């Protein structure tokens, strides 16, 4: 794409490539062009879009306007002493990392891909493998500038303007357009990660492992084998922290151990695999994993294994796929167990399943993470029984006091949204103040009645 503002009618989907909808997509090259595009106030509204890495329809606006923010991606200021960086919202985490890692800084929170924008990371208040220790992305944003529906530029901070700031963090782009943000980075001694890996025999042991040792590590997740009958939820706990320079120098590569990656190696093939093959490859991956302590890994394979495979989402074919992620309170491990049982019984094989323990949620009313267990599952479509089974799991999640991650959703039942998001009215009060005429609209909000409008 060039530097000029571009505009075209396009069919958009999320990363899961389901539920396409057509919108006028404008990619402003300047803030002035962005303000001008917003001032047109099209009847079906406007929504910002980053790199389209949300799995569902949260960055779509069928029949309306979508403002592609990736043309506004400048790095405005970087202070290598204090570790603060101010960027335009369309700046990707990849570009940000390119700038800061060599200076001894890292992202305070990163999702499983670096190809997301700072605006998208704020709007979904994304979490990473360190949520139990460091919280979500928005908790490390010290200031942001929001373009509101009326064309005002508001400078928001967590302390100075808490209502507007926290409604925007996790606010799915519905409070306005984030123009720029300042982030407090994490000081690191090296660009490598020291990783411990341990196999677990079943789900109970996976829970026990994460519960016992999570706090020792900054980063912690478990890959789960959802296909092994009788041993559902056995897995591989992957835990680590940034390595010191001495550790990088002193730890030689372990003989016979190839560098471990956080996801199964066959994952890049997963989209074209069906149930029996997935079961076999889960088995192989589990058996090959060895208990290993203190392995030194680079940032990319540890945090972003899927980024190595460009456009891997297309390998799922025309049906696309969905990623289903929920969180339940810590004392409701039974819901995770039930979810795995239900999926297994109906032969719905997840190509990737990851379990993590979250720490307390942020102050943002619509933020997804909360103290509890989160399970994320990739499911290839079409999967005939998936809709019914996931709907049943939704009920268990809602009953437990948990919720489904809206940034990844494409199928939740509207009735459950209020139950799962008890602070939705509080968020809507602030949102209405910022956008009284409902200029910011999107497919997800319409589908789920998020802003009170009928779907
Ligand atoms: C491989 C992979 C791994 C992932 N891992 C994780 C993970 O570990 N943790 C996690 O939390 N998420 C994860 N995600 C999801 C992803 O991090 C989020 O969906 C993120 O919001 C995507 O950012 P984006 O720039 O692509 O935004 P989009 O998907 O384009 O948009 C997402 C939302 O942000 C809004 N938005 C975008 N830019 C702006 C702006 N400038 N102002 C206001 N609103 C804006 C949009 O309106 C939309 O509501 C993963 C996704 C993939 C594909």
């Amino acid at each position: 794409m060039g530097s000029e503002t571009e505009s075209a009618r396009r069919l958009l989907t999320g990363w899961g490539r389901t539920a396409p909808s057509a919108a006028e997509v404008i990619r402003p090259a300047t803030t002035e062009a962005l303000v001008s595009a917003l001032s047109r106030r099209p009847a079906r509204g406007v929504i910002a879009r980053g790199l389209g890495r949300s799995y569902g329809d949260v960055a779509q606006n069928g029949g309306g306007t979508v403002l592609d923010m990736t043309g506004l991606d400048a790095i405005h200021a970087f202070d290598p002493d204090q570790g603060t960086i101010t960027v335009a919202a369309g700046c990707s985490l990849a570009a940000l990392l390119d700038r800061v890692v060599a200076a001894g800084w890292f992202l305070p929170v990163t999702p499983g891909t670096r190809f997301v924008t700072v605006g998208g990371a704020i709007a979904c208040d994304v979490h990473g493998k360190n949520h139990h220790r460091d919280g979500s992305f928005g908790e490390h944003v010290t200031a942001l500038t929001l373009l509101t529906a009326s064309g005002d530029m508001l400078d928001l901070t967590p302390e100075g303007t808490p209502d507007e700031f926290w409604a925007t963090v996790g606010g799915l782009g519905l409070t306005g357009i984030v123009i720029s943000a300042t982030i407090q980075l994490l000081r690191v001694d090296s660009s490598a990660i020291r990783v411990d890996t341990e196999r677990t025999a079943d789900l109970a042991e996976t829970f026990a492992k994460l519960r016992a040792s999570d706090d020792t590590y900054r980063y912690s997740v478990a890959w789960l084998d959802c296909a092994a009958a009788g041993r559902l939820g056995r897995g591989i706990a992957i835990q680590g922290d940034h390595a010191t320079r001495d550790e990088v120098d002193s730890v030689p590569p372990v003989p016979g151990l190839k560098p471990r990656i956080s996801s199964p190696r066959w994952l890049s093939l997963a989209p074209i695999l069906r149930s029996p093959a997935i079961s076999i490859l889960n088995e192989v991956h589990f058996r090959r994993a060895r208990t290993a302590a203190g392995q030194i890994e680079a940032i990319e394979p540890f945090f972003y294994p899927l980024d190595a495979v460009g456009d891997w989402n297309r390998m799922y074919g025309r049906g696309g796929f969905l990623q289903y992620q929920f969180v339940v309170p810590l004392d409701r491990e039974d819901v995770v167990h039930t979810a795995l049982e239900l999926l297994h019984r109906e032969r719905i094989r997840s190509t990737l399943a990851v379990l993590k323990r979250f720490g307390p949620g942020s102050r943002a009313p619509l933020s997804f993470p909360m103290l509890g267990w989160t399970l994320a599952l990739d499911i290839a479509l079409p999967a005939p029984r998936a809709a019914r089974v996931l709907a049943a799991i939704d009920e268990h999640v809602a009953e437990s006091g948990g919720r489904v991650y809206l940034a990844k959703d494409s199928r939740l039942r509207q009735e459950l949204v209020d139950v799962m998001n008890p602070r939705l009215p509080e968020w809507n009060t602030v949102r209405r103040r910022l956008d009284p005429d409902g200029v910011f609209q999107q497919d997800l909000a319409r589908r789920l009645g998020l802003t009170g409008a009928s779907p």
Side-chain angles (χ1 to χ4, degrees):
M1 291 241 199
S3 60
E4 293 301 302
T5 294
E6 298 166 24
S7 169
R9 192 167 171 75
R10 278 176 51 200
L11 207 55
L12 296 175
T13 67
W15 193 244
R17 305 184 72 231
T18 56
S21 66
E24 183 70 16
V25 181
I26 302 176
R27 185 172 185 268
T30 62
T31 309
E32 294 69 37
L34 175 68
V35 172
S36 154
L38 181 63
S39 69
R40 282 181 229 153
R41 288 173 159 250
R44 281 280 278 192
V46 175
I47 198 72
R49 182 177 174 99
L51 280 162
R53 255 43 176 206
S54 293
Y55 286 84
D57 53 1
V58 74
Q60 292 167 229
N61 185 24
T65 298
V66 170
L67 296 171
D68 174 342
M69 296 296 293
T70 57
L72 298 169
D73 60 352
I75 294 180
H76 296 310
F78 171 46
D79 180 340
D81 296 323
Q82 300 300 317
T84 53
I85 189 160
T86 302
V87 297
C91 177
S92 70
L93 298 187
L96 200 156
L97 283 168
D98 279 351
R99 179 69 181 269
V100 306
V101 170
W105 297 95
F106 190 66
L107 288 164
V109 168
T110 179
T113 171
R114 60 197 189 286
F115 301 124
V116 309
T117 63
V118 167
I122 292 172
C124 293
D125 197 16
V126 300
H127 58 270
K129 292 182 169 99
N130 58 339
H131 187 275
H132 62 287
R133 166 96 53 115
D134 299 317
S136 49
F137 194 87
E139 293 177 271
H140 305 272
V141 174
T142 56
L144 63 85
T145 301
L146 185 74
L147 172 63
T148 65
S150 59
D152 293 333
M153 293 276 187
L154 305 183
D155 291 324
L156 306 181
T157 61
E159 278 73 38
T161 47
D163 289 354
E164 293 80 2
F165 181 89
W166 292 110
T168 298
V169 169
L172 306 175
L174 294 164
T175 61
I177 299 174
V178 178
I179 300 291
S180 63
T182 301
I183 299 148
Q184 176 61 59
L185 302 165
L186 176 72
R187 169 70 86 189
V188 292
D189 205 22
S190 79
S191 64
I193 312 292
R194 185 188 63 255
V195 188
D196 294 347
T197 310
E198 198 175 321
R199 285 203 310 204
T200 59
D202 55 25
L203 186 59
E205 200 178 307
T206 310
F207 277 127
K209 170 72 193 153
L210 294 184
R211 219 182 297 113
S213 58
D214 245 13
D215 292 332
T216 321
Y217 299 91
R218 183 178 290 275
Y219 302 106
S220 173
V221 289
W223 168 81
L224 297 187
D225 181 351
C226 301
R231 285 151 299 162
L232 272 191
R234 69 176 180 178
I236 305 167
I238 302 151
Q239 299 175 303
D241 207 336
H242 295 277
T244 61
R245 243 171 263 184
D246 286 349
E247 284 170 334
V248 176
D249 292 342
S250 66
V251 177
V254 184
L257 263 186
K258 291 185 186 146
R260 189 204 47 73
I261 58 172
S262 313
S263 306
R265 281 170 195 286
W266 52 269
L267 196 66
S268 57
L269 292 174
I272 51 173
L273 299 175
R274 292 295 153 182
S275 183
I278 290 172
S279 304
I280 293 164
L281 287 164
N282 269 301
E283 182 71 34
V284 171
H285 178 61
F286 180 78
R287 283 175 188 271
R288 284 189 59 199
R290 273 169 272 187
T291 294
Q295 271 192 277
I296 298 297
E297 275 190 22
I299 285 172
E300 288 79 7
F302 183 77
F303 290 106
Y304 313 118
L306 288 167
D307 284 356
V309 189
D311 284 349
W312 57 268
N313 59 335
R314 292 187 172 271
M315 295 163 78
Y316 278 93
R318 295 177 68 166
F321 72 108
L322 57 87
Q323 183 166 103
Y324 179 63
Q325 183 171 2
F326 66 78
V327 57
V328 291
L330 284 179
D331 61 355
R332 295 305 306 269
E333 292 171 5
D334 60 296
V335 178
V336 176
H337 199 267
T338 303
L340 295 184
E341 287 282 357
L342 285 173
L343 290 162
H344 191 259
R345 195 185 308 155
E346 297 289 343
R347 292 202 185 81
I348 300 165
R349 296 287 183 264
S350 170
T351 45
L352 178 65
V354 176
L355 179 72
K356 156 137 204 78
R357 192 171 63 98
F358 276 157
S362 77
R363 291 163 67 190
L366 225 54
S367 179
F368 166 68
M370 57 178 247
L371 189 62
W373 295 104
T374 184
L375 178 67
L377 303 155
D378 280 3
I379 296 170
L381 296 175
R385 295 169 300 276
R388 180 169 50 77
V389 174
L390 296 182
I393 299 173
D394 289 341
E395 300 286 342
H396 289 286
V397 170
E399 172 275 321
S400 75
R403 58 178 78 114
V404 163
Y405 193 8
L406 295 180
K408 300 185 173 178
D409 180 58
S410 51
R411 31 123 337 254
L412 188 64
R413 208 156 53 81
Q414 185 177 335
E415 293 72 37
L416 292 180
V417 171
D418 295 359
V419 184
M420 290 181 172
N421 298 278
R423 296 179 67 195
L424 188 59
E426 179 191 333
W427 173 77
N428 256 320
T429 303
V430 182
R431 184 196 60 76
R432 275 193 208 101
R433 224 160 52 212
L434 289 165
D435 181 19
D437 300 327
V439 170
F440 294 104
Q441 295 181 33
Q442 78 204 163
D443 289 359
L444 177 125
R446 270 192 289 269
R447 177 168 60 80
L448 296 179
L450 217 54
T451 56
S454 52

